[in-house]
Amino acid sequence: MKLHCYCSVAALLVSVALAGATNDRYYKSLDFDFFYHVQQWPASFCDTKFGCCFPGNEKPEADFGIHGLWPNYAVCRTAEDAGRPLNQSNTASALALVPLRRRRCRDLIKTNGRRVRAQIRDLESDLLRNWGTLSCKNKESTAFWSHEWTRHGTCSGMDQHAYFRAALEFKARFNLTRILLDAGIVPSDEKEYFLSSIRDAVAEATGSAPNLECNRNERNETQLFQVYQCVGLDGSSPVRCPMPLPMDGGCTDTVKFPAF
Ligand code: 5GP
């Protein structure tokens, strides 16, 4: 009985170790360092001079919407190093760096809205609620999803279903709108907020300080537009954002967070 017990524990430990090794190998095979989970504030998309459109003319809820889940390098790579894992690149000593923060995948999978749709049918209502297009160029969100999959998802190491599900689950787990409301950061056309208070609120709730991007409304006022949360290679755990990141957020010390 005792022997059986020891054997079971040993077998469990071996399988956990093997699973760990398999995971390690899998993560090492990925050609990026972390994901950006990017969400856009709809009011700040809509109140610029470009305006916005809603699929089916139905205004969505006043909630952040997913823009994408983007595989990223932690540092710029040389053109020569692009495509190699960080631990095999010579980037640190290179002079001519190219910004590859949002590089294209080399192995683009030709895809279209219909093919994307077939594989994620069970996620569709969740996607429509949380990843809707606001662009007037697209009449339907499927074109947006298709673009995000082709441009970013194909580098993720995940299949289509896992990719979209990971992005949805991350948003559901860390509800940005709720996090900001709980910190007293309420959408308003009058108030201004310290950028640091927005960053701190997200950092406190998730354990990781996000990067923030701002744009300007038609009155040329700076407003919070997108929140970039850093996520580990598993696509689910928040990680510390690599510093310094080659990113110009366009924000000022105080920003608007407009009503929608
Ligand atoms: P990305 O920045 O992800 O590489 O490209 C975004 C593309 O998706 C652009 O071509 C943009 O026109 C299109 N798009 C469609 N709907 C949306 C939307 O709601 N927000 C943003 N930011 N882009 C959208």
Side-chain angles (χ1 to χ4, degrees):
M1 181 62 187
K2 220 173 191 177
L3 182 66
H4 172 76
C5 203
Y6 285 140
C7 288
S8 307
V9 170
L12 184 67
L13 289 176
V14 168
S15 60
V16 166
L18 280 178
T22 313
N23 276 348
D24 281 355
R25 251 203 314 281
Y26 169 71
Y27 292 137
K28 277 193 185 127
S29 75
L30 294 175
D31 171 32
F32 59 96
D33 306 316
F34 72 103
F35 286 101
Y36 262 140
H37 185 279
V38 186
Q39 294 185 60
Q40 56 187 3
W41 179 244
S44 307
F45 187 102
C46 292
D47 69 4
T48 69
K49 58 178 184 281
F50 303 109
C52 66
C53 297
F54 310 131
N57 283 332
E58 246 178 75
K59 187 179 172 184
E61 271 178 56
D63 185 17
F64 279 90
I66 299 174
H67 179 163
L69 183 64
W70 302 341
N72 263 264
Y73 289 147
V75 291
C76 291
R77 308 284 178 106
T78 61
E80 190 191 322
D81 279 346
R84 283 190 216 167
L86 190 57
N87 58 6
Q88 289 168 26
S89 81
N90 299 316
T91 287
S93 60
L95 289 175
L97 297 180
V98 288
L100 286 164
R101 186 165 55 81
R102 291 171 60 180
R103 80 189 173 84
R104 272 177 174 277
C105 294
R106 283 161 306 151
D107 309 317
L108 287 185
I109 297 173
K110 286 261 176 287
T111 181
N112 61 32
R114 215 176 305 137
R115 286 234 318 260
V116 169
R117 201 170 200 157
Q119 295 189 36
I120 54 177
R121 200 171 291 285
D122 62 314
L123 302 177
E124 199 165 322
S125 60
D126 209 355
L127 285 167
L128 287 169
R129 238 188 349 269
N130 293 292
W131 200 331
T133 182
L134 297 171
S135 163
C136 297
K137 280 190 272 174
N138 300 141
K139 292 215 167 42
E140 287 201 54
S141 298
T142 41
F144 186 25
W145 306 335
S146 183
H147 169 88
E148 291 300 310
W149 167 252
T150 306
R151 171 113 196 247
H152 307 281
T154 52
C155 303
S156 67
M158 299 182 213
D159 65 33
Q160 235 173 62
H161 193 272
Y163 174 77
F164 286 102
R165 202 183 56 197
L168 287 169
E169 284 180 356
F170 192 84
K171 177 180 189 282
R173 189 163 151 220
F174 302 107
N175 182 330
L176 282 185
T177 309
R178 168 74 19 225
I179 288 170
L180 295 186
L181 286 176
D182 288 350
I185 299 164
V186 181
S188 156
D189 288 331
E190 285 80 42
K191 281 192 186 162
E192 295 222 335
Y193 295 100
F194 284 108
L195 195 68
S196 56
S197 65
I198 297 174
R199 189 178 290 119
D200 290 351
V202 179
E204 197 163 302
T206 66
S208 163
N211 282 302
L212 303 174
E213 183 184 356
C214 299
N215 65 2
R216 281 166 185 264
N217 64 17
E218 279 194 295
R219 293 187 302 282
N220 212 27
E221 296 164 324
T222 307
Q223 54 188 3
L224 178 66
F225 172 40
Q226 300 202 107
V227 177
Y228 292 60
Q229 291 175 273
C230 296
V231 181
L233 296 178
D234 62 2
S236 66
S237 24
V239 293
R240 184 194 284 259
C241 291
M243 293 293 258
L245 271 179
M247 176 177 162
D248 173 18
C251 297
T252 42
D253 285 350
T254 57
V255 295
K256 288 257 163 94
F257 180 44
F260 183 58

